[in-house]
Amino acid sequence: MKSIKIVVIHDNMKVTDPLLFSLRERFGTDNVILKEVSSEGLEYIFDNLTGKQIVLLDYDLGADQPHAPEIIREIRDRTSLIQIIIFTAKQFSSIPYEYLIEFINNETFGIIQSTADIVDVLSLVDRAAHQLETRVDCVLEEWISKRTDSEKRKPYITTKAGAVYTLSDLIVEIRKETKLGQQVEKSILQLATELLTSGKKELDD
């Protein structure tokens, strides 16, 4: 889990917050990032699209800053592979119904109040992390990590247009959800389905 970045976007949280301390213990100090200004949080997210990220997002982020609905729209315009958790002091009943529906439609992983017990917040983040770890790109990344450096650098796929991609390039393409990345992910899932439906009980490493 230590390769997952936890990006906390919250205008009323400080680096000494107990939740941040607990997250650092779980995921590593360098992997927990606090951004008190939402625009800076978005900039960090977009600069790190090729990595695994969980965003812990406050609902209301102060005057003249994009709030949670806008931030989620901007993230989803770029990628669907980031887990987003709404973390707010607001009562759920005070959040407009249309925003709650939008959160669901934009695949927000969860919503939890900032007054919740830290254990409950960590549990939700852990579940989001587990889901990240079992995605196609993460399983592929783990497989690639076992290859030698020379294998990782070798041309692995050549497109009809002549573009060449290494194994490491493919992870970037999948995480950025490019056309090639989507095709590769679909092919991997199709292959997995064929293996399962063929009755094969053991998979080669």
Side-chain angles (χ1 to χ4, degrees):
M1 285 190 189
K2 288 190 176 180
S3 61
I4 297 175
K5 298 289 186 185
I6 312 297
V7 185
V8 181
I9 304 178
H10 200 296
D11 63 337
N12 287 319
M13 190 175 286
K14 302 301 177 188
V15 292
T16 54
D17 190 279
L19 174 61
L20 293 180
F21 177 80
S22 297
L23 287 169
R24 291 187 200 106
E25 278 196 320
R26 215 177 207 83
F27 294 93
T29 300
D30 293 339
N31 293 324
V32 179
I33 294 89
L34 172 64
K35 297 293 183 182
E36 296 176 56
V37 179
S38 55
S39 56
E40 292 178 4
L42 273 174
E43 183 179 358
Y44 180 88
I45 290 166
F46 294 149
D47 284 345
N48 293 274
L49 278 181
T50 58
K52 292 172 278 191
Q53 297 183 68
I54 296 172
V55 177
L56 205 55
L57 178 63
D58 191 11
Y59 177 83
D60 189 345
L61 288 146
D64 302 321
Q65 286 296 316
H67 295 340
E70 295 173 73
I71 291 171
I72 293 172
R73 282 182 221 125
E74 289 197 49
I75 292 173
R76 289 297 176 243
D77 281 345
R78 298 282 292 275
T79 180
S80 64
L81 298 182
I82 289 175
Q83 300 285 35
I84 303 171
I85 297 171
I86 304 295
F87 181 69
T88 180
K90 271 183 171 291
Q91 293 294 320
F92 298 156
S93 58
S94 68
I95 298 175
Y97 179 74
E98 61 268 25
Y99 285 158
L100 294 173
I101 295 299
E102 189 174 345
F103 293 158
I104 294 170
N105 290 340
N106 279 322
E107 298 180 347
T108 301
F109 187 81
I111 180 168
I112 192 166
Q113 288 190 300
S114 53
T115 53
D117 193 288
I118 286 178
V119 172
D120 294 330
V121 180
L122 292 176
S123 176
L124 186 58
V125 174
D126 280 343
R127 293 203 302 275
H130 174 72
Q131 196 172 98
L132 278 182
E133 293 290 353
T134 54
R135 272 185 351 218
V136 167
D137 60 311
C138 298
V139 174
L140 180 60
E141 182 179 52
E142 184 177 348
W143 179 81
I144 290 173
S145 72
K146 297 175 183 176
R147 313 277 71 83
T148 65
D149 287 342
S150 62
E151 286 176 317
K152 293 174 188 176
R153 290 194 298 267
K154 276 183 186 176
Y156 195 77
I157 286 179
T158 303
T159 67
K160 290 180 180 178
V164 178
Y165 296 87
T166 66
L167 286 172
S168 298
D169 292 333
L170 292 181
I171 292 295
V172 175
E173 295 297 310
I174 290 173
R175 289 198 172 137
K176 288 191 173 181
E177 295 194 286
T178 65
K179 186 176 180 180
L180 174 66
Q182 291 174 1
Q183 289 174 336
V184 170
E185 186 172 19
K186 183 179 179 182
S187 296
I188 292 171
L189 289 170
Q190 285 175 336
L191 176 60
T193 301
E194 288 169 10
L195 287 172
L196 289 171
T197 55
S198 70
K200 186 173 182 180
K201 298 298 188 294
E202 294 181 5
L203 297 179
D204 297 328
D205 185 15

